[in-house]
Amino acid sequence: MDVQFINPFMAATVHVLKTIARTDVSAGKPYIKKDNIARGDVSAVIGLTGNVSGTIAVSFTEKSILAIVSSMFGEKVSDLNDEIGDAVGEIANMISGQARQALEKMGRPLQAAIPTVITGKGHRITHITSEPIIAIPFLMENDGFTIEVCFE
Amino acid sequence: MAIDTSIKVLVVDDFATMRRIVKDVLKQLGFDNIVEAGDGSAALDVLKKEKVDLIVSDWNMPKMTGLELLKAVRADDNLKGIPFVMVTAEGQKDNVIEAVKVGVSNYIVKPFTPGTFGEKLEKVLG
């Protein structure tokens, strides 16, 4: 996988959460994830196609997504309900969209499918290629979440 | 804003959360006559029953996309004059060009701030 694919998704993640949830997040050190177990409790996966194909996933812990959605709505949200799943899908959509704008400028246009949302402790995230999965941990106040990027 | 905020706005998005965010922003801007639909097909049903003054639609939706909805609206003599704003994560150049060709009134890329949203609506309605 070309590492040039990583930075646009990292930058998009910071921008999206700052804009929609007024939440500052910072990227930790990317690593190769060797299993398909989600690092969070609710995840969204988006398939991307173009000159290359791949998948991105964003996986939030319960604590992190409740804080983010509470900030998005301006009211305290305390349960992992359907609205939270919706929000995770939409956040993934926005990250994908922002990153793809940057990739287009780099001459790497990609199209995106509609996100799939998965919830539950220890759920699995399936990427469409068997290439190494690059996981990027993100830190926010009191907690964090993980972005996974996997391209052929 | 120097625009009429008493108009009826149709918000179309398959994600209830996104509809809520768009409605919240519209309310912050002074709009409170808002109806909603979960995809393009449901939006057409609303448009057949109610007089709507502005459509704010997502692009990427199941059943009928925002672009297909835009094409259907512009092809209908009764609806073609309604301002149509696309609110979408699809900010790539080809998407914008395609929407402009079909007759989109303005284009808002997610994520957006209320300020950006208001400026775009002012260009359409002002």
Side-chain angles (χ1 to χ4, degrees):
Chain A
M1 185 178 84
D2 187 337
V3 292
Q4 279 194 323
F5 278 101
I6 304 295
N7 281 343
F9 289 98
M10 291 170 70
T13 301
V14 172
H15 174 66
V16 166
L17 288 165
K18 180 72 178 171
T19 308
I20 60 160
R22 296 170 296 280
T23 300
D24 290 312
V25 302
S26 58
K29 190 177 177 188
Y31 64 93
I32 293 178
K33 182 171 172 266
K34 294 183 175 170
D35 60 65
N36 61 2
I37 306 295
R39 298 298 185 256
D41 306 309
V42 53
S43 306
V45 185
I46 299 183
L48 301 166
T49 53
N51 288 337
V52 295
S53 295
T55 328
I56 67 146
V58 54
S59 186
F60 292 96
T61 61
E62 180 172 348
K63 191 175 172 186
S64 65
I65 194 60
L66 290 176
I68 287 166
V69 175
S70 295
S71 183
M72 282 167 71
F73 290 167
E75 64 184 56
K76 188 165 174 56
V77 179
S78 48
D79 295 317
L80 278 187
N81 54 26
D82 288 349
E83 227 172 24
I84 300 286
D86 252 20
V88 172
E90 194 54 51
I91 289 168
N93 237 345
M94 289 188 226
I95 292 170
S96 153
Q98 287 284 312
R100 285 183 293 115
Q101 277 185 66
L103 286 165
E104 182 184 42
K105 287 177 187 158
M106 293 160 58
R108 304 273 185 101
L110 293 172
Q111 286 76 48
I114 289 174
T116 301
V117 176
I118 315 149
T119 57
K121 300 255 180 228
H123 64 264
R124 293 172 189 277
I125 294 174
T126 306
H127 291 273
I128 59 174
T129 77
S130 54
E131 296 293 314
I133 301 161
I134 308 297
I136 307 131
F138 278 84
L139 300 172
M140 50 186 276
E141 194 179 359
N142 299 329
D143 210 10
F145 60 93
T146 304
I147 299 286
E148 298 181 13
V149 182
C150 182
F151 277 92
E152 63 186 8
Chain B
M1 283 201 305
I3 55 176
D4 180 6
T5 53
S6 68
I7 63 171
K8 184 180 281 188
V9 185
L10 170 60
V11 175
V12 191
D13 201 306
D14 53 324
F15 284 109
T17 299
M18 204 59 217
R19 293 201 299 275
R20 177 171 172 171
I21 289 168
V22 171
K23 283 192 297 179
D24 283 349
V25 170
L26 285 167
K27 284 175 184 169
Q28 282 180 47
L29 296 170
F31 296 89
D32 57 8
N33 192 0
I34 303 166
V35 289
E36 56 185 288
D39 61 58
S41 175
L44 282 178
D45 290 340
V46 173
L47 290 165
K48 281 177 196 163
K49 292 174 196 159
E50 301 186 41
K51 182 186 174 297
V52 167
D53 305 297
L54 170 68
I55 301 167
V56 178
S57 177
D58 184 26
W59 178 299
N60 206 0
M61 297 180 287
K63 289 187 187 170
M64 183 186 227
T65 66
L67 191 69
E68 289 165 343
L69 173 64
L70 174 61
K71 286 177 182 172
V73 166
R74 291 293 178 250
D76 187 316
D77 284 341
N78 294 319
L79 306 175
K80 65 183 178 188
I82 302 174
F84 194 117
V85 176
M86 199 74 88
V87 181
T88 175
E90 301 298 322
Q92 292 173 288
K93 195 169 67 181
D94 287 351
N95 293 90
V96 178
I97 290 170
E98 197 174 0
V100 168
K101 276 183 184 168
V102 180
V104 78
S105 308
N106 216 323
Y107 202 95
I108 301 173
V109 177
K110 293 185 276 191
F112 50 79
T113 61
T116 309
F117 203 100
E119 283 167 20
K120 298 270 186 173
L121 289 192
E122 207 157 7
K123 283 181 183 163
V124 173
L125 303 170

